[in-house]
Amino acid sequence: REPALRAWTTFGAVHVVDPRRWGDDSDATRTERLTHELCHAALLHRFPDEQAARAARLPRFFTEGACSVIAGQHRLPLSEVLARAGGALPLTIDAFARDPDMAYGAAHALAAALVEQHGPLVFASVMSTAARDGGAGCVERALLALTGQADVAALWRVVVDSSAAPT
């Protein structure tokens, strides 16, 4: 139901729209998109089965951000994300529906900050912790335990504040 959707992953399959309908079906774009989708599969398969993965209710901002960073995709720069968000949290499901470019850019920025602060294995670490927990919200709990933040909005605020800090 999302017009910009080109591929999606379920526990058992990666689905891909004909690349000639993507607008850009260059080798680089194909590689990025397939890497992104295989990352989704890897995240889902940290859980023992599809039922457990569904029960975990993986947050879209985390999965899209992690897979975007892993795939080396180019997203809106943080300054543009902030301008479009207008002070609202751009990591919600509503944000993905309203302005997917902004939401994917925000998710990418958050994921890139996690890698910068916690190293290249941060996503595997979060998912291992989440899989041990297994309940709805397990990824958020794992993220917050790792970062020491109170909630996702506070975690986003760290990203925003660090982007404004003088270098």
Side-chain angles (χ1 to χ4, degrees):
R1 287 178 251 148
E2 295 183 32
L5 197 63
R6 303 292 182 258
W8 63 99
T9 300
T10 62
F11 194 84
V14 173
H15 306 271
V16 180
V17 172
D18 181 345
R20 291 172 294 217
R21 298 181 62 203
W22 292 355
D24 174 2
D25 72 338
S26 66
D27 287 346
T29 297
R30 286 179 186 224
T31 300
E32 287 172 3
R33 185 152 292 132
L34 292 174
T35 301
H36 181 108
E37 294 308 321
L38 291 173
C39 174
H40 280 295
L43 295 177
L44 290 169
H45 283 267
R46 294 299 291 197
F47 295 90
D49 56 34
E50 183 174 4
Q51 183 177 358
R54 283 181 184 268
R57 302 183 55 91
L58 305 181
R60 189 165 183 188
F61 77 85
F62 178 79
T63 61
E64 296 301 350
C67 293
S68 180
V69 168
I70 293 293
Q73 293 177 297
H74 299 283
R75 302 291 184 185
L76 284 180
L78 184 56
S79 59
E80 176 99 9
V81 168
L82 295 173
R84 287 188 182 194
L89 180 65
L91 300 168
T92 65
I93 290 298
D94 290 341
F96 277 95
R98 185 178 60 259
D99 188 346
D101 288 338
M102 175 198 65
Y104 275 89
H108 184 102
L110 176 58
L114 289 170
V115 169
E116 184 176 315
Q117 294 165 6
H118 301 283
L121 298 178
V122 66
F123 307 127
S125 174
V126 167
M127 291 305 293
S128 291
T129 301
R132 283 191 299 276
D133 174 324
C138 61
V139 170
E140 290 94 329
R141 285 188 293 278
L143 271 173
L144 300 178
L146 173 72
T147 63
Q149 297 306 311
D151 58 22
V152 173
L155 186 56
W156 176 246
R157 177 57 44 202
V158 169
V159 174
V160 172
D161 290 349
S162 67
S163 75
T167 55

